[in-house]
Structure formats: C-alpha cells, structure tokens
Amino acid sequence: MTALGFSIGGDPAALRAFMATFPRPQGELVSGVVDRTAPGPAGPVPVRVYVPTPEPDQAPPVLIWYHSGGWVMANLDSADLSCRAMTNRSGCVVISVDYRLAPEAPFPAAIEDCYAALAWLCDNADALGVDRDRIAVSGESAGGGLAEIGRAHV
C-alpha cells in the first residue's frame, strides 16, 4: 500500500484511522440517536441509542448490539448504518456498544465492556424507556461471540 502513498505497517490504530477516512453512506432516519456512556470496568463505555420511527406508544423492546471487527477494528460509526436499519425494521430501540479494542486493550477487555453495557441496560431500562422484559442481545461476527457470552450471564 505504500505505492498508494500510505503505510499502516501492521498498526491497528493506523488502520482504524485510515478506515475512518472512508465516506460512509447516510443511514435511514430514525426518531432519535443519542450518544451516551455506560459505566465500565476501565472507565465509561460509549454506547449509541437508536429510537425507531415512528416512536412506539409503549415501552418498546430493546436490542443491545455488539459490532464486528475481530476485536480489533470497527466502532459505533461503522455499525451506524446497520443499527439504523435494525431499529426501523424491528421497532426496537437499538443500543450499539463501542467496546475497547485489542491490542491496546487485551482480553478480556471487550467482554468486560460488553457485559458492563448489558448490566447498565438492565439496571436502567425504565429510565431509557424500554421494556426490561424484552431485551435481546446480538452482534455480528466478533460481536456475535460477545453477545453469546453476555447471554450466558443474564
């Protein structure tokens, strides 16, 4: 890739920064998107809350979503397009979790952050306006593995 004028040299942070320069398509409109944090074991865990369109009349179900990326790549922005679509198609509030990435945060950091975000959701369902009896846990690729671990502990 040096022929193209850049080199990432196996540095995950450099690759993440390079990928952040790629244009991202505009996602579907949803009723609301709010960036928040959940308390985590090493500090605040960023989460993004998506509210479906049209807004539900009663407390909707909620899906907590863990992004893909091999525990090394991806973030809230890379998951935004699919989270918006899931929000509107499901009628669920979707909460996307930006867990810490390796190698800067080695195992079990991602698991700890995802579990902390799930615990925060369970403890704050009423304040978030979601139905605490209808919580789904899911993810894509690496996030799917994190979701399985979270489900096993709920």
Side-chain angles (χ1 to χ4, degrees):
M1 286 199 217
T2 54
L4 298 175
F6 65 91
S7 174
I8 54 172
D11 177 7
L15 182 55
R16 285 184 220 123
F18 173 68
M19 289 178 63
T21 67
F22 293 3
R24 298 205 186 274
Q26 179 69 33
E28 296 179 25
L29 291 179
V30 295
S31 286
V33 178
V34 179
D35 287 337
R36 300 185 65 164
T37 58
V45 177
V47 298
R48 185 169 289 161
V49 181
Y50 298 84
V51 179
T53 301
E55 287 190 53
D57 294 333
Q58 59 186 10
V62 60
L63 167 68
I64 191 163
W65 179 258
Y66 305 127
H67 63 72
S68 61
W71 301 282
V72 178
M73 305 301 300
N75 57 31
L76 293 175
D77 292 333
S78 63
D80 186 72
L81 191 69
S82 55
C83 286
R84 288 171 179 273
M86 285 186 288
T87 300
N88 284 336
R89 304 288 185 292
S90 69
C92 291
V93 167
V94 173
I95 299 177
S96 182
V97 179
D98 199 15
Y99 56 85
R100 290 175 288 155
L101 301 173
E104 296 87 350
F107 178 86
I111 294 169
E112 293 171 340
D113 286 357
C114 290
Y115 185 75
L118 179 58
W120 168 81
L121 167 59
C122 292
D123 291 344
N124 293 282
D126 291 338
L128 291 166
V130 298
D131 186 340
R132 74 174 55 251
D133 294 324
R134 297 189 294 161
I135 296 174
V137 184
S138 191
E140 179 180 26
S141 193
L146 293 166
E148 284 300 311
I149 293 166
R151 272 195 289 266
H153 290 88
V154 173

